[in-house]
Amino acid sequence: MTTAAIVALWAVGEMPIDCGLFRADGTGRGADCDDADLTGFTLGEPLDLDALMAEDPEWTACAYVFAEVSLPDGSGRLVSGGGSHGSDGFFARIDCDGNLVWLVHLFCNELVAITVDWPLATFTNNCDNSLTVDLGDPDFGPGR
């Protein structure tokens, strides 16, 4: 079985530069937000990170973790942070064994804080703007 590109990138402290939701099972969706204001966040069409990385394997950014919180249901934890550029921000779900479940990369500035009010998780950037996702949604759940 081939390791999904996002899992291999995460293992070496990197993430794709492309904005999107990247799942450890190799599936993904485009993602967008309205920059550092974080008033709009959408998931788009399916995307194939493995194909994108095959075209340009250097198209990556460092992934620096700035915040981490355990999930109250015991299914793992959430992490968030920034990348190689100040405009990079990401949040990710890690399972209870430490494996990446999914990662969302956005151009929203560094995400420096996380709060969880199950099933909602709120990620706040260094401009004190936040976005909230529903961890009960199949896209953000622990599996599919």
Side-chain angles (χ1 to χ4, degrees), residues 21-100:
L21 163 65
F22 307 101
R23 296 188 60 85
D25 65 6
T27 61
R29 294 179 66 184
D32 194 21
C33 69
D34 62 351
D35 68 38
D37 292 337
L38 292 176
T39 55
F41 169 70
T42 58
L43 291 177
E45 295 299 314
L47 58 81
D48 184 346
L49 179 60
D50 293 331
L52 292 171
M53 294 308 301
E55 288 177 25
D56 189 355
E58 305 282 318
W59 194 239
T60 64
C62 294
Y64 303 112
V65 174
F66 298 142
E68 182 173 336
V69 63
S70 293
L71 292 170
D73 70 348
S75 65
R77 63 189 195 280
L78 298 173
V79 298
S80 68
S84 303
H85 310 283
S87 62
D88 289 324
F90 78 89
F91 55 98
R93 185 170 183 155
I94 310 298
D95 71 17
C96 54
D97 294 324
N99 301 305
L100 181 73

Side-chain angles (χ1 to χ4, degrees), residues 80-133:
S80 68
S84 303
H85 310 283
S87 62
D88 289 324
F90 78 89
F91 55 98
R93 185 170 183 155
I94 310 298
D95 71 17
C96 54
D97 294 324
N99 301 305
L100 181 73
V101 176
W102 51 256
L103 179 141
V104 174
H105 176 245
L106 299 167
F107 297 128
C108 64
N109 284 23
E110 299 166 338
L111 294 167
V112 297
I114 306 166
T115 57
V116 176
D117 184 11
W118 191 259
L120 304 178
T122 301
F123 303 92
T124 304
N125 70 10
N126 57 0
C127 299
D128 205 29
N129 298 317
S130 301
L131 69 86
T132 300
V133 299

Side-chain angles (χ1 to χ4, degrees), residues 5-15 63 65 79 90 92 94 98 100 103:
I6 191 62
V7 173
L9 288 171
W10 183 256
V12 295
E14 295 182 352
M15 63 185 166
V65 174
V79 298
F90 78 89
I94 310 298
L100 181 73
L103 179 141

